[in-house]
Amino acid sequence: RGQARAGQLEKVVSIAGSRLPGTFPLIEEMRISDLLEDAGGLQPNYADLDYALLVREELADEGDISLFGVDLKAVLATPGGEQDVSLLPKDQIMLFSKNENKAAALAEVVERLKSQAKLGVLAKVVRSGGAVKFPGEYPLTENMSISDLISVSGGLIASAYSQSAEIYRINLQDPNRAQTSIV
């Protein structure tokens, strides 16, 4: 299907990170698996099949983005299946290597999410710290769990005590008073 040319920027999709970066023309009914195939396929020994992101520009709020976790294992196992979503113009798939510091690789995305925060709308960002390999800030995706955050943070370091953790939450539902809790 080939690389996209200048002047066609509205109908393109792209891949960032890993060893497959590039911009490609958006073909009707194109899915994630089609984009990966056009890019030459994943390298299973290199690519992190447990974590990938779909970055989608919001049409209503120009410049704003939404992020969705991508289950690459499911996409590769069942092309055209439920996890192999259809792509929209300007979608970007972010791929990572297995041992990559994803906090550093996602710093620009996290900053974009923070810039979208407004009164009453929090930035969709979470933070990991302590005994993980790559502590830092990460995008909060739909249905993200604590184990997902630990995984994207590179997993627990060898000296970690895995039987307990603290979750620090800030509740800003009351605009006059922030409430914090530790779980």
Side-chain angles (χ1 to χ4, degrees), residues 14-167:
S14 61
I15 296 179
S18 191
R19 295 182 181 176
L20 298 175
T23 303
F24 301 85
L26 177 63
I27 308 300
E28 190 172 333
E29 297 184 29
M30 184 178 214
R31 295 176 173 268
I32 294 170
S33 61
D34 298 321
L35 176 59
L36 295 174
E37 183 181 323
D38 286 358
L42 290 176
Q43 296 173 330
N45 295 332
Y46 177 78
D48 185 345
L49 300 179
D50 293 322
Y51 188 75
L53 287 175
L54 168 61
V55 181
R56 179 164 284 165
E57 286 194 28
E58 296 294 326
L59 299 176
D61 297 313
E62 192 159 325
D64 282 1
I65 57 172
S66 293
L67 283 94
F68 306 92
V70 176
D71 183 347
L72 285 177
K73 287 180 184 173
V75 167
L76 297 173
T78 313
E82 183 180 331
Q83 297 294 318
D84 191 14
V85 299
S86 295
L87 298 172
L88 297 177
K90 298 184 181 180
D91 276 357
Q92 180 183 59
I93 301 296
M94 294 189 75
L95 303 174
F96 305 91
S97 65
K98 290 180 180 177
N99 293 312
E100 182 174 0
N101 180 345
K102 293 171 187 75
L106 290 165
E108 185 179 321
V109 171
V110 167
E111 288 307 311
R112 283 184 76 181
L113 289 171
K114 286 180 177 180
S115 73
Q116 291 175 198
K118 307 173 187 119
L119 184 60
V121 180
L122 297 176
K124 293 190 177 196
V125 174
V126 292
R127 178 178 299 188
S128 69
V132 293
K133 193 182 247 183
F134 301 115
E137 293 181 312
Y138 295 91
L140 175 63
T141 57
E142 197 74 24
N143 299 321
M144 186 178 206
S145 67
I146 299 297
S147 61
D148 294 335
L149 179 59
I150 292 169
S151 178
V152 74
S153 300
L156 297 174
I157 60 175
S159 62
Y161 179 67
S162 63
Q163 301 305 308
S164 72
E166 285 186 2
I167 302 169

